[in-house]
Amino acid sequence: MGSLTIGEFARASRLSPKALRLYDDLGLLPPARVDPATGYRFYDPDQLEHARLVAWLRRIGMPLARIREVCGLEPGAAADAVRAYWAEVEADTAARRDLAAFLIDHLSQSGKEPAIMPTASLAIRYASLSDPGRVRESNQDSAYAGSRLLAVADGYGDRGGPAGAAAIEALKRLDTDALPAGEILNALEEAVRRAADDLAEAVEAPESPEAPESPESPESGTTLTAMLLTGSQLALVHIGDSRAYLLRDGELFQITHDHTLVQSMVDDGRLTPEEAASHPQRSLLLKSLAFPSGVTPDLRLHDARPGDRYLLCSDGLSAVVPGPEVQRVISATDDPEQAVRELVALANAAGGPDNVACVVADVVAPG
């Protein structure tokens, strides 16, 4: 078979001539030959497979810049890249579904009750602790606990420490701001957006004038898991693989979903949780807080009850301390301050391979 005209190639590849011209301009799918006199594009039949791959990737909504990356990979690596992209899409869809459910419930209640913070609010007693562990020279984990706000961040990259600290700092004003109950999720989402902007300055600034950041340094960013108390509810914002747990009636529940490649493989049934725990790519994040940020965090509301205990932690704890040990400490240790110290001690006793940060908070009746 000889060269195909752009019309013939468009029909065979199921791409429009307009799309083919765009992909040529972007260097994504250049023609095999361009007639110097007429400017007509001609394609080789061997390009059909590549063109069909581009068409399929566009149908699943993959951005052109990412398609270019996938097309440059070997088949196995390309499959992993598509799998990672789709896991991000599903995570974003789940977050939007949760937000839509909240909006439906909130709008359904409009006109029935005033959307203001209840006068009889629950309270929390809390403690937080961050530790560098036994192996790392610096600590890129951050933890914060206040009268309303609980937060943990796990930074990565050369400027991971400042990135995590900046993320939490952007949320701190919510600890004292009075917010209508109906605005709490919007406030959290806006705080995360502000944190992403603040990350730019935190990541770009050098540690000291004597040690400017190298342009070859890897991308920096952070995970972020935070909860904000309003009335009898806790609003949750989550992105990355730090975690939030709830201890209620003696049972410990993980209430966040890890945004990692191995978790997406567990969700798909291709890995068991036990296999995921020792997978070499278990720390590969699909979503994190970085600049510029186009990623939507998980946002939702949890009903709080007196007697509930919440644990927020980085993977420096969850990845090295077995769940039953975590539950034992959380269940048996009454004082939050003692609980966070025991949890950090357990992580260090397990080798302390990573920084660790945790927050323990008890929900109590006011007064």
Side-chain angles (χ1 to χ4, degrees):
M1 183 186 297
S3 297
L4 301 175
T5 66
I6 189 170
E8 294 169 334
F9 191 78
R11 287 190 292 273
S13 63
R14 297 185 180 179
L15 290 168
S16 69
K18 180 179 179 180
L20 289 173
R21 285 190 287 270
L22 172 63
Y23 299 159
D24 180 16
D25 293 341
L26 296 175
L28 181 59
L29 188 58
R33 179 174 63 88
V34 178
D35 188 291
T38 63
Y40 290 166
R41 295 171 171 86
F42 294 91
Y43 292 83
D44 193 296
D46 291 340
Q47 293 181 278
L48 280 172
E49 184 175 356
H50 178 67
R52 287 168 181 154
L53 174 60
V54 172
W56 291 330
L57 294 175
R58 285 299 290 157
R59 284 177 192 165
I60 66 172
M62 184 176 287
L64 291 174
R66 198 151 178 178
I67 290 176
R68 186 185 294 110
E69 295 176 5
V70 171
C71 290
L73 299 173
E74 294 296 322
D80 287 339
V82 173
R83 185 179 298 116
Y85 167 75
W86 194 247
E88 292 178 28
V89 171
E90 290 182 326
D92 284 342
T93 301
R96 292 173 184 173
R97 183 175 59 245
D98 289 344
L99 183 56
F102 162 74
L103 288 172
I104 291 168
D105 181 66
H106 173 64
L107 293 172
S108 298
Q109 297 300 319
S110 295
K112 299 178 182 179
E113 297 178 359
I116 58 174
M117 190 179 300
T119 54
S121 300
L122 296 174
I124 51 176
R125 61 186 188 117
Y126 50 83
S128 64
L129 185 61
S130 179
D131 188 88
R134 302 293 191 193
V135 175
R136 303 289 177 87
E137 294 182 0
S138 61
N139 188 4
Q140 295 187 315
D141 284 10
S142 300
Y144 174 83
S147 59
R148 295 179 62 210
L149 177 68
L150 315 169
V152 164
D154 181 358
Y156 62 85
D158 286 353
R159 303 287 298 162
I168 289 182
E169 194 64 33
L171 267 65
K172 278 187 180 180
R173 70 183 67 179
L174 299 178
D175 206 13
T176 55
D177 287 354
L179 296 169
E183 294 294 325
I184 194 70
L185 289 181
N186 289 339
L188 267 177
E189 186 174 25
E190 177 58 33
V192 172
R193 188 177 298 113
R194 188 168 58 245
D197 293 338
D198 293 347
L199 249 60
E201 182 177 351
V203 168
E204 291 173 2
E207 294 282 358
S208 67
E210 293 77 22
E213 184 184 6
S214 166
E216 289 80 22
S217 61
E219 179 188 2
S220 298
T222 185
T223 70
L224 179 64
T225 300
M227 303 191 80
L228 183 64
L229 179 67
T230 172
S232 61
Q233 293 183 310
L234 278 160
L236 170 71
V237 60
H238 167 69
I239 187 167
D241 64 349
S242 294
R243 292 180 176 180
Y245 294 88
L246 166 64
L247 180 71
R248 175 176 286 175
D249 298 328
E251 292 190 59
L252 188 66
F253 307 92
Q254 182 180 337
I255 58 173
T256 53
H257 196 70
D258 293 349
H259 299 142
T260 59
L261 176 62
V262 295
Q263 182 60 56
S264 71
M265 296 170 74
V266 171
D267 296 340
D268 292 342
R270 291 180 288 114
L271 281 180
T272 66
E274 293 73 23
E275 291 170 334
S278 58
H279 196 279
Q281 292 182 305
R282 62 185 178 277
S283 298
L284 182 60
L285 294 172
L286 294 179
K287 294 173 67 173
S288 66
L289 189 63
F291 182 87
S293 177
V295 178
T296 304
D298 294 350
L299 288 159
R300 57 181 176 270
L301 290 171
H302 285 265
D303 290 327
R305 302 178 189 171
D308 285 349
R309 169 167 279 190
Y310 288 89
L311 165 66
L312 278 62
C313 66
S314 64
D315 66 342
L317 176 70
S318 59
V320 299
V321 179
E325 280 294 285
V326 172
Q327 181 168 356
R328 178 186 62 79
V329 171
I330 292 296
S331 301
T333 309
D334 181 64
D335 179 35
E337 182 72 35
Q338 183 182 351
V340 295
R341 293 186 181 280
E342 288 191 22
L343 291 170
V344 169
L346 282 176
N348 286 331
D354 197 358
N355 309 148
V356 58
C358 59
V359 172
V360 171
D362 295 332
V363 179
V364 296

